[in-house]
Amino acid sequence: MMSMPRIPTRMIVPSLLLAALIVIPFAAPLITAEDPIKMAVRYRLAAPDLAHWLGRDEFGRDRLARVLYGGQVSLTVAFVATSIACIVGTFFGLIGAYFRGPSEFITTRLSDIVLCFPPILLALLVVTLFGPGAGTLVAVLSVLYFPTFARIAFSEALRVTSLDFVEASRALGTPSRRIVLGTILPNIAGPLSVQYSLTAAAAITIESGLSFLGLGVVPPAPSWGQMIRGARQFMNQDPLGILIPCAALVLTIYAINFFCDRLRDTLDPKGGAGSGMDDVSAPLALANAPAIDDPDVVAMITDLRLETSRYGTPVAVIEEVSLTLRANQCTALVGESGSGKSLSSLALMGLLPGAIRQASGTLQLRRKSGDVVDLGFLDARTLEDIRGNDIAMIFQEPMTSLNPIHTISGQMIEAILAHRPMSKTEARSHAIALLKRVGMNDAERRIDSYPDQMSGGMRQRVMIAMAFACEPRLLIADEPTTALDVTIQAEIIELLQSLRQDQASGLSLLFVSHNLGIVADIADRVAVMYSGQIVEEGLADLILRDPHHPYTRALIESMPSSHEALHSTGGDRLPAISGTPPLPSARPSGCAFRDRCPIAIASCAEIRPQLYPSPDGERSVRCLRAPEAPGGLQMSRTEAA
Amino acid sequence: MTQAPLLDVQKLRKSYPIGRRGLFSRRTLNVLHDVSFSVAPGEVLGLVGESGSGKSTIGRAILRLIESESAAMRFKGQDLNTIPSGRLRDLRKDMQIIFQDPYASLDPRKTIRAVLSEALDAHGLHRGPARGPRLTELVNLVGLDPSFLDRRPHEFSGGQRQRIGIARALAVEPSFIVCDEAVSALDVSIQAQVLNLLADLRAMTGVSLLFISHDLSVVRFISDRVMVLYLGRVMEVGPADQVHFAPKHPYTAALVSAEPSLHRENRRIRLTGEIPSPLSLPSGCIFRNRCPYALPACADTVPQLQTVGDQHQAACLRHDIL
């Protein structure tokens, strides 16, 4: 975000350049004692000398003085006109967007009318009517440019007005004037200030153009357009005369545009870093991958560590994550936001965001052919072949993962043809068969509809059908039901269950979720993540019925559905854990949970707990006080509560 | 109820125009159909329903953030439909809202001090030297540190932002707050903290809440009474535990049974079909096309709310079978 008092480093050079170009013309009396309109025909077109650094023009006037004083006129006209356009346009835009109704009509129609005229024609018309001169120029340019400001202010204000914080201000009874000026205006200032710089640059050009045509500033007053006009006739004898005003013009416009570009980057909350596309970081190949002998193992994550960089130093976002995914098994990855559960699953797809780097560990996958590959050793082509074919993924929000401008059939056929050589008609009938399999009635007809013609539940069914298009061995479902209503959620979970049992090749499902209730429904094994680590892992029944890690226990205890006898009216409180999960850069020493842990002891700050396996190997837990830990002192559930 | 209700809403309707058919006739989409309810002083009324049920619309209609029609909408005896705009501003001091999205509900450019001051300034409360102590008191009330006052929202976690949103609503000492999915965007462990905070505040200040949520367990825990909505109509209303554990409407029963639970064996009531489009609702009972108990008679009459227990009403012809 923008922090107002500090000027970002990248703004320093463009700001200084722009400031210099504006200040220098207005400091003209300090720079030269010459009068810009005093003629000396005797010295016409004289070459530069010590007293007249840039020589003299066709009437013997000092060029330095003319270019400086001309700059005063050009810049004043441009900035005054732009400021008027900006203030008037913003006013109309804000009023239109906040009050809607008739004021919206006036704002949009008024700017439409002005936008209908070709700008130069409109300018010519007004100048012809009112006669040339700086005042007319300012008026023309303001009228020309106010619609752009009105449009931008209108659409931006419309966006901001719909945000909750504006609604909150209205609910508080804050007067409209204060909401518009104090809340909406600051939030649309970014795009407006960029538009201001762009318009100022354009205004300088138009001013010069009109002056060049003799319709702008009246001679003998200097302006850059006037200078070009005058020097044009003597271009062959005296090229300097035309080069000087042109250079001034180019330099000024360049400085303004340079300033705009940097300003836009600075005002953009994303900081303008990178190319917009997420670079996918190449996974790191490590030689010491463990051999997978068990044919049931579909994928294995070993000792994964993912890092991001903060002020140049690497910060681990995920540490020591190991997970074995087997055929015919559903493994749930559970955790709160920021726990690293989604990153772990994206690493398996080779889709880590550019800022995240795999620092160590291996990601192995058994392909359909039976070969075990290390995802870190693969080139981009092979990875693309694996995605969709061996591993498929469904996401939380089916609306954003489906392309709204293509029909379902188009998107499904494309997905099928990407991995399977067949004709389009075959692909279409395959797609229809898939939609029927995911429980879509009337699939033959509905396959030709667009995503927005379907309900959220149906869209998620389409995503599931697409994921199953190539019978993957591993399906990653990242919060697939979080955006859905409970009744629809239950249907989708049931669908995933039945598809899992149908698939002959033995599907392994990695189910990423924050909802322990759903996990209890679908998962065979559970891995609970906290602050980038797996803190407890094992059979779902064992973990959820009798959690050994205090965090797992706290998670279950915090759910209101765990306390059907409690009611707030009776003065009951939910057993909540205090505090919030630590940021990756501020994890405490020792156990990451100890700050919030009800049973933490002194050694929790000193020893980093390992994942201690139980004697039967069915579960493991990362807690010094768990019974699995060497010498662990387990407190009973009641004591902890 | 012997006490006069704090808020009394009769036959609330809301419709949106959706394009024209011919020059004068407009097609409208009705999102609320004659919703009536009341909230007693100090009471928490839970509002549950799936997306499209109109639950958020009700909250915004009461606060007059959107325009609506109703036979009567009385808050502390004043008719909200006819109140002049000057009086409405005064009334806003008494009715507040807490939003779902802790990221969108705070102006990214304002410090917490400015956010809370806006609330006080709007009604000329705690001016001058009294301002500082009041702001400190507010942040303490929601369990935050006073040193947070001069920071901006992006420095806070979702749970902390939600607490700031609660402090903003409490700043003007309202007697009624609409909580629109106020804990839905929070992680489980943070959600429990905020729920406890709301329960404490209610016990301390006696504020009434309209608690809107899609999460039935959360609503049951926090509410005295619960109202279940389906496509803009009230299906069932009654004491929280009764509605949750002994629902009388098949839709409520299906909702409760669909909720994933760690502790209950799931015996889910299967609903057939999809939620109908609000533009082409079934005749009679709007739930009948998905209802496992529907009879031919359900297509003929729109079932009215009828008393099925103490303070407990359901709009179902077959409420006796559950």
Side-chain angles (χ1 to χ4, degrees), chain B residues 239-273:
Chain B
D241 280 348
Q242 273 190 47
V243 171
H244 198 86
F245 298 120
K248 290 290 177 207
H249 195 288
Y251 177 64
T252 317
L255 265 189
V256 175
S257 79
E259 203 189 25
S261 166
L262 268 181
H263 311 277
R264 239 179 310 123
E265 240 350 275
N266 260 6
R267 232 171 270 124
R268 190 162 81 80
I269 299 170
R270 254 161 242 276
L271 296 181
T272 50

Short mmCIF file of all heavy atoms in Angstrom, two decimals, chain B residues 239-273:
data_model
loop_
_atom_site.label_atom_id
_atom_site.label_comp_id
_atom_site.label_asym_id
_atom_site.label_seq_id
_atom_site.Cartn_x
_atom_site.Cartn_y
_atom_site.Cartn_z
N PRO B 239 -37.41 -20.85 19.04
CA PRO B 239 -36.24 -20.85 19.93
C PRO B 239 -35.09 -21.63 19.30
O PRO B 239 -35.31 -22.67 18.66
CB PRO B 239 -36.76 -21.55 21.18
CG PRO B 239 -38.24 -21.39 21.14
CD PRO B 239 -38.61 -21.38 19.71
N ALA B 240 -33.85 -21.10 19.47
CA ALA B 240 -32.70 -21.63 18.73
C ALA B 240 -32.54 -23.14 18.88
O ALA B 240 -32.41 -23.85 17.88
CB ALA B 240 -31.44 -20.90 19.20
N ASP B 241 -32.55 -23.63 20.11
CA ASP B 241 -32.31 -25.06 20.29
C ASP B 241 -33.42 -25.90 19.67
O ASP B 241 -33.15 -26.94 19.08
CB ASP B 241 -32.17 -25.38 21.79
CG ASP B 241 -30.77 -25.04 22.29
OD1 ASP B 241 -29.90 -24.79 21.44
OD2 ASP B 241 -30.56 -25.03 23.52
N GLN B 242 -34.66 -25.42 19.79
CA GLN B 242 -35.77 -26.19 19.21
C GLN B 242 -35.68 -26.27 17.71
O GLN B 242 -35.85 -27.33 17.11
CB GLN B 242 -37.09 -25.55 19.61
CG GLN B 242 -37.61 -26.04 20.93
CD GLN B 242 -39.04 -25.55 21.13
OE1 GLN B 242 -39.87 -25.65 20.24
NE2 GLN B 242 -39.29 -25.01 22.31
N VAL B 243 -35.40 -25.12 17.07
CA VAL B 243 -35.29 -25.11 15.61
C VAL B 243 -34.15 -26.03 15.18
O VAL B 243 -34.24 -26.75 14.19
CB VAL B 243 -35.10 -23.68 15.08
CG1 VAL B 243 -34.77 -23.68 13.60
CG2 VAL B 243 -36.34 -22.85 15.35
N HIS B 244 -33.07 -26.02 15.95
CA HIS B 244 -31.90 -26.79 15.54
C HIS B 244 -32.08 -28.29 15.80
O HIS B 244 -31.80 -29.11 14.94
CB HIS B 244 -30.67 -26.29 16.29
CG HIS B 244 -29.37 -26.71 15.67
ND1 HIS B 244 -28.77 -25.99 14.65
CD2 HIS B 244 -28.58 -27.78 15.89
CE1 HIS B 244 -27.67 -26.60 14.28
NE2 HIS B 244 -27.51 -27.69 15.02
N PHE B 245 -32.58 -28.61 16.99
CA PHE B 245 -32.61 -30.03 17.35
C PHE B 245 -33.96 -30.68 17.07
O PHE B 245 -34.03 -31.91 16.95
CB PHE B 245 -32.24 -30.21 18.83
CG PHE B 245 -30.85 -29.74 19.13
CD1 PHE B 245 -30.62 -28.73 20.04
CD2 PHE B 245 -29.76 -30.31 18.46
CE1 PHE B 245 -29.33 -28.29 20.30
CE2 PHE B 245 -28.48 -29.86 18.71
CZ PHE B 245 -28.26 -28.85 19.64
N ALA B 246 -35.03 -29.88 16.99
CA ALA B 246 -36.33 -30.46 16.69
C ALA B 246 -37.06 -29.62 15.64
O ALA B 246 -38.09 -29.02 15.91
CB ALA B 246 -37.17 -30.55 17.98
N PRO B 247 -36.48 -29.53 14.44
CA PRO B 247 -37.09 -28.68 13.42
C PRO B 247 -38.46 -29.20 13.02
O PRO B 247 -38.71 -30.41 13.04
CB PRO B 247 -36.10 -28.76 12.26
CG PRO B 247 -35.33 -30.01 12.46
CD PRO B 247 -35.30 -30.25 13.94
N LYS B 248 -39.34 -28.26 12.67
CA LYS B 248 -40.69 -28.65 12.26
C LYS B 248 -40.90 -28.46 10.76
O LYS B 248 -41.95 -28.79 10.24
CB LYS B 248 -41.73 -27.82 13.03
CG LYS B 248 -41.80 -28.17 14.50
CD LYS B 248 -42.40 -29.55 14.69
CE LYS B 248 -42.41 -29.94 16.16
NZ LYS B 248 -42.37 -31.39 16.33
N HIS B 249 -39.95 -27.85 10.10
CA HIS B 249 -40.09 -27.67 8.65
C HIS B 249 -39.08 -28.58 7.95
O HIS B 249 -37.91 -28.64 8.36
CB HIS B 249 -39.83 -26.20 8.28
CG HIS B 249 -40.29 -25.86 6.90
ND1 HIS B 249 -39.66 -26.30 5.76
CD2 HIS B 249 -41.36 -25.14 6.46
CE1 HIS B 249 -40.29 -25.87 4.69
NE2 HIS B 249 -41.35 -25.16 5.09
N PRO B 250 -39.49 -29.29 6.90
CA PRO B 250 -38.57 -30.21 6.22
C PRO B 250 -37.31 -29.51 5.70
O PRO B 250 -36.24 -30.12 5.67
CB PRO B 250 -39.38 -30.74 5.05
CG PRO B 250 -40.80 -30.48 5.37
CD PRO B 250 -40.85 -29.32 6.32
N TYR B 251 -37.44 -28.22 5.33
CA TYR B 251 -36.26 -27.52 4.83
C TYR B 251 -35.23 -27.32 5.95
O TYR B 251 -34.04 -27.57 5.76
CB TYR B 251 -36.65 -26.17 4.22
CG TYR B 251 -35.46 -25.37 3.77
CD1 TYR B 251 -34.63 -25.85 2.75
CD2 TYR B 251 -35.12 -24.17 4.37
CE1 TYR B 251 -33.52 -25.14 2.34
CE2 TYR B 251 -34.01 -23.45 3.97
CZ TYR B 251 -33.22 -23.94 2.95
OH TYR B 251 -32.10 -23.25 2.56
N THR B 252 -35.70 -26.90 7.12
CA THR B 252 -34.79 -26.75 8.25
C THR B 252 -34.13 -28.08 8.57
O THR B 252 -32.91 -28.16 8.80
CB THR B 252 -35.55 -26.26 9.50
OG1 THR B 252 -36.46 -25.24 9.11
CG2 THR B 252 -34.61 -25.73 10.54
N ALA B 253 -34.93 -29.13 8.58
CA ALA B 253 -34.40 -30.45 8.88
C ALA B 253 -33.30 -30.84 7.89
O ALA B 253 -32.24 -31.36 8.27
CB ALA B 253 -35.53 -31.47 8.87
N ALA B 254 -33.56 -30.53 6.61
CA ALA B 254 -32.57 -30.86 5.58
C ALA B 254 -31.30 -30.04 5.77
O ALA B 254 -30.19 -30.56 5.65
CB ALA B 254 -33.17 -30.61 4.20
N LEU B 255 -31.47 -28.75 6.09
CA LEU B 255 -30.31 -27.88 6.31
C LEU B 255 -29.46 -28.40 7.46
O LEU B 255 -28.24 -28.52 7.33
CB LEU B 255 -30.78 -26.47 6.67
CG LEU B 255 -30.92 -25.41 5.62
CD1 LEU B 255 -31.18 -24.07 6.29
CD2 LEU B 255 -29.66 -25.31 4.78
N VAL B 256 -30.11 -28.70 8.57
CA VAL B 256 -29.37 -29.17 9.75
C VAL B 256 -28.67 -30.48 9.42
O VAL B 256 -27.51 -30.69 9.77
CB VAL B 256 -30.32 -29.33 10.95
CG1 VAL B 256 -29.58 -29.94 12.13
CG2 VAL B 256 -30.92 -27.99 11.35
N SER B 257 -29.37 -31.35 8.71
CA SER B 257 -28.77 -32.67 8.44
C SER B 257 -27.63 -32.57 7.43
O SER B 257 -26.76 -33.43 7.40
CB SER B 257 -29.84 -33.64 7.95
OG SER B 257 -30.10 -33.40 6.58
N ALA B 258 -27.65 -31.53 6.59
CA ALA B 258 -26.59 -31.41 5.58
C ALA B 258 -25.33 -30.84 6.17
O ALA B 258 -24.26 -30.91 5.56
CB ALA B 258 -27.08 -30.52 4.44
N GLU B 259 -25.44 -30.25 7.35
CA GLU B 259 -24.26 -29.62 7.93
C GLU B 259 -23.27 -30.68 8.37
O GLU B 259 -23.60 -31.58 9.12
CB GLU B 259 -24.68 -28.78 9.13
CG GLU B 259 -23.67 -27.71 9.40
CD GLU B 259 -23.96 -27.02 10.72
OE1 GLU B 259 -24.58 -27.60 11.60
OE2 GLU B 259 -23.52 -25.89 10.84
N PRO B 260 -22.04 -30.57 7.85
CA PRO B 260 -21.06 -31.60 8.21
C PRO B 260 -20.73 -31.49 9.70
O PRO B 260 -20.60 -30.40 10.24
CB PRO B 260 -19.85 -31.26 7.37
CG PRO B 260 -20.02 -29.85 6.97
CD PRO B 260 -21.46 -29.53 7.00
N SER B 261 -20.66 -32.62 10.35
CA SER B 261 -20.37 -32.59 11.78
C SER B 261 -19.39 -33.68 12.13
O SER B 261 -19.38 -34.75 11.56
CB SER B 261 -21.66 -32.78 12.57
OG SER B 261 -21.34 -33.06 13.90
N LEU B 262 -18.56 -33.36 13.09
CA LEU B 262 -17.57 -34.32 13.57
C LEU B 262 -18.22 -35.35 14.48
O LEU B 262 -17.74 -36.46 14.61
CB LEU B 262 -16.54 -33.58 14.41
CG LEU B 262 -15.30 -33.08 13.74
CD1 LEU B 262 -14.43 -32.42 14.77
CD2 LEU B 262 -14.57 -34.22 13.09
N HIS B 263 -19.29 -34.94 15.13
CA HIS B 263 -19.74 -35.70 16.29
C HIS B 263 -21.02 -36.47 16.04
O HIS B 263 -21.40 -37.30 16.83
CB HIS B 263 -19.94 -34.76 17.48
CG HIS B 263 -18.75 -33.89 17.68
ND1 HIS B 263 -17.63 -34.30 18.35
CD2 HIS B 263 -18.47 -32.64 17.23
CE1 HIS B 263 -16.73 -33.34 18.34
NE2 HIS B 263 -17.21 -32.33 17.66
N ARG B 264 -21.70 -36.12 14.95
CA ARG B 264 -22.96 -36.79 14.69
C ARG B 264 -22.76 -37.77 13.54
O ARG B 264 -22.05 -37.47 12.59
CB ARG B 264 -24.00 -35.74 14.26
CG ARG B 264 -25.20 -35.68 15.16
CD ARG B 264 -26.16 -34.61 14.68
NE ARG B 264 -25.57 -33.31 14.42
CZ ARG B 264 -25.67 -32.69 13.24
NH1 ARG B 264 -26.32 -33.23 12.24
NH2 ARG B 264 -25.13 -31.50 13.09
N GLU B 265 -23.40 -38.91 13.59
CA GLU B 265 -23.43 -39.79 12.43
C GLU B 265 -24.31 -39.05 11.43
O GLU B 265 -25.39 -38.60 11.76
CB GLU B 265 -24.11 -41.12 12.81
CG GLU B 265 -23.27 -42.37 12.66
CD GLU B 265 -21.95 -42.23 11.93
OE1 GLU B 265 -21.96 -42.29 10.68
OE2 GLU B 265 -20.89 -42.09 12.58
N ASN B 266 -23.81 -38.87 10.22
CA ASN B 266 -24.61 -38.09 9.29
C ASN B 266 -25.73 -38.91 8.67
O ASN B 266 -25.49 -39.85 7.94
CB ASN B 266 -23.72 -37.52 8.19
CG ASN B 266 -23.40 -36.08 8.48
OD1 ASN B 266 -23.75 -35.58 9.55
ND2 ASN B 266 -22.76 -35.42 7.55
N ARG B 267 -26.95 -38.55 9.02
CA ARG B 267 -28.08 -39.16 8.34
C ARG B 267 -28.74 -38.06 7.53
O ARG B 267 -29.65 -37.40 7.97
CB ARG B 267 -29.04 -39.79 9.34
CG ARG B 267 -29.33 -41.23 8.98
CD ARG B 267 -30.10 -41.95 10.05
NE ARG B 267 -29.25 -42.59 11.03
CZ ARG B 267 -29.31 -42.37 12.34
NH1 ARG B 267 -30.18 -41.52 12.81
NH2 ARG B 267 -28.53 -43.02 13.17
N ARG B 268 -28.19 -37.83 6.37
CA ARG B 268 -28.58 -36.65 5.61
C ARG B 268 -29.93 -36.86 4.94
O ARG B 268 -30.21 -37.92 4.39
CB ARG B 268 -27.54 -36.36 4.54
CG ARG B 268 -27.74 -35.04 3.85
CD ARG B 268 -26.47 -34.63 3.15
NE ARG B 268 -26.32 -35.27 1.87
CZ ARG B 268 -26.94 -34.86 0.78
NH1 ARG B 268 -27.77 -33.85 0.82
NH2 ARG B 268 -26.72 -35.45 -0.37
N ILE B 269 -30.77 -35.83 5.03
CA ILE B 269 -32.03 -35.85 4.30
C ILE B 269 -31.72 -35.36 2.89
O ILE B 269 -31.21 -34.26 2.70
CB ILE B 269 -33.06 -34.92 4.97
CG1 ILE B 269 -33.34 -35.39 6.39
CG2 ILE B 269 -34.34 -34.86 4.15
CD1 ILE B 269 -34.15 -34.41 7.20
N ARG B 270 -31.98 -36.20 1.93
CA ARG B 270 -31.64 -35.86 0.56
C ARG B 270 -32.68 -34.92 -0.04
O ARG B 270 -33.87 -35.21 0.04
CB ARG B 270 -31.59 -37.13 -0.28
CG ARG B 270 -30.23 -37.56 -0.63
CD ARG B 270 -30.28 -39.03 -1.03
NE ARG B 270 -29.47 -39.78 -0.10
CZ ARG B 270 -28.17 -39.92 -0.24
NH1 ARG B 270 -27.57 -39.38 -1.27
NH2 ARG B 270 -27.47 -40.58 0.64
N LEU B 271 -32.23 -33.84 -0.62
CA LEU B 271 -33.14 -32.95 -1.33
C LEU B 271 -32.98 -33.23 -2.81
O LEU B 271 -31.86 -33.36 -3.30
CB LEU B 271 -32.79 -31.49 -1.06
CG LEU B 271 -32.95 -31.03 0.38
CD1 LEU B 271 -32.61 -29.57 0.48
CD2 LEU B 271 -34.35 -31.29 0.88
N THR B 272 -34.10 -33.38 -3.48
CA THR B 272 -34.01 -33.61 -4.93
C THR B 272 -34.05 -32.26 -5.63
O THR B 272 -34.59 -31.29 -5.11
CB THR B 272 -35.19 -34.46 -5.41
OG1 THR B 272 -36.38 -33.87 -4.91
CG2 THR B 272 -35.06 -35.88 -4.92
N GLY B 273 -33.49 -32.22 -6.82
CA GLY B 273 -33.61 -31.02 -7.65
C GLY B 273 -32.77 -29.87 -7.15
O GLY B 273 -32.09 -29.96 -6.13
#
